[in-house]
Amino acid sequence: MEKQLNSDQPNTIENKFNKLIIIVSIAIPVVVAILFGIKLKDYGINVEPLTFLPPIYAVINGVTAMLLILGVYSIKNGNKKAHQNFMQAAIACSVVFLVMYVAYHMTSDSAVYGGVGFIRYIYFFILISHIILSIAVIPLVLITYVKALAERFDKHKKIAKITFPIWMYVAVTGVIVYLMIAPYYAY
């Protein structure tokens, strides 16, 4: 008689990725925080400020949100391959965003939000929640993806119901934060 895998036990694929998920989930925010504080010009590296990047990575956030919606739409309509492609594209967009975000902040001074009054509180609420959830979504996306790789679709679906709204919030608020701070960029 074949031994059945307990659905609560991780399988080989999941075990293989568990440590990596933990390492990546910690390393990305730490490395981004460190790199965020490094300005290449302070180290004698003369690089032209990449001030053209913020609108590009804002668009990438918008594209990520659309890919997430298309991915959910696809799976609800039974198209697993399209779902997989949309979700992998969303992950790729998130990685490209992160690289551009770090490159911008390593070459350019951060824009300072100039709004006053109540809108200032709204901006900082959106910004802070965006940052916190962008850190929290890293392990969620990775775990959700690994559950799919391991063909643990029951677990994948369960965690995806948590991952999707958080990832969507991060993508959409990324665009909102850009739109709110865009008038204060020094181009």
Side-chain angles (χ1 to χ4, degrees):
M1 181 172 206
E2 209 174 290
K3 184 180 176 186
Q4 283 192 323
L5 180 67
N6 179 342
S7 66
D8 292 332
Q9 286 183 319
N11 69 19
T12 308
I13 292 172
E14 290 170 296
N15 285 331
K16 181 177 157 185
F17 285 103
N18 282 341
K19 286 182 185 173
L20 185 61
I21 289 170
I22 293 168
I23 291 167
V24 170
S25 297
I26 293 169
I28 288 175
V30 169
V31 169
V32 169
I34 290 167
L35 293 176
F36 192 85
I38 294 174
K39 299 291 183 220
L40 294 177
K41 65 183 177 187
D42 296 343
Y43 295 91
I45 300 171
N46 293 325
V47 176
E48 199 65 33
L50 302 176
T51 56
F52 62 91
L53 286 179
I56 295 170
Y57 60 68
V59 168
I60 289 172
N61 269 325
V63 169
T64 300
M66 291 188 304
L67 289 167
L68 292 173
I69 291 167
L70 290 169
V72 169
Y73 177 81
S74 295
I75 200 64
K76 287 193 181 283
N77 286 294
N79 192 339
K80 288 182 181 180
K81 187 61 179 166
H83 170 75
Q84 178 183 3
N85 290 339
F86 286 128
M87 301 317 285
Q88 288 175 339
I91 291 170
C93 282
S94 294
V95 171
V96 169
F97 161 82
L98 190 59
V99 169
M100 287 183 173
Y101 180 80
V102 169
Y104 167 77
H105 284 285
M106 289 181 74
T107 63
S108 310
D109 293 326
S110 295
V112 177
Y113 183 70
V116 295
F118 190 68
I119 193 74
R120 186 173 184 81
Y121 295 108
I122 292 171
Y123 170 78
F124 282 108
F125 173 80
I126 294 170
L127 177 64
I128 291 167
S129 64
H130 170 81
I131 292 168
I132 291 168
L133 290 174
S134 71
I135 293 167
V137 81
I138 296 167
L140 291 171
V141 168
L142 295 174
I143 291 166
T144 305
Y145 186 66
V146 168
K147 296 287 185 208
L149 284 179
E151 297 182 3
R152 300 284 296 271
F153 298 111
D154 57 329
K155 301 289 183 186
H156 169 79
K157 185 177 179 181
K158 194 173 190 177
I159 194 158
K161 288 181 179 184
I162 298 166
T163 305
F164 172 76
I166 295 171
W167 197 359
M168 179 62 75
Y169 180 86
V170 169
V172 171
T173 57
V175 176
I176 293 169
V177 165
Y178 168 75
L179 292 173
M180 291 180 80
I181 200 166
Y184 306 103
Y185 278 110
Y187 291 105

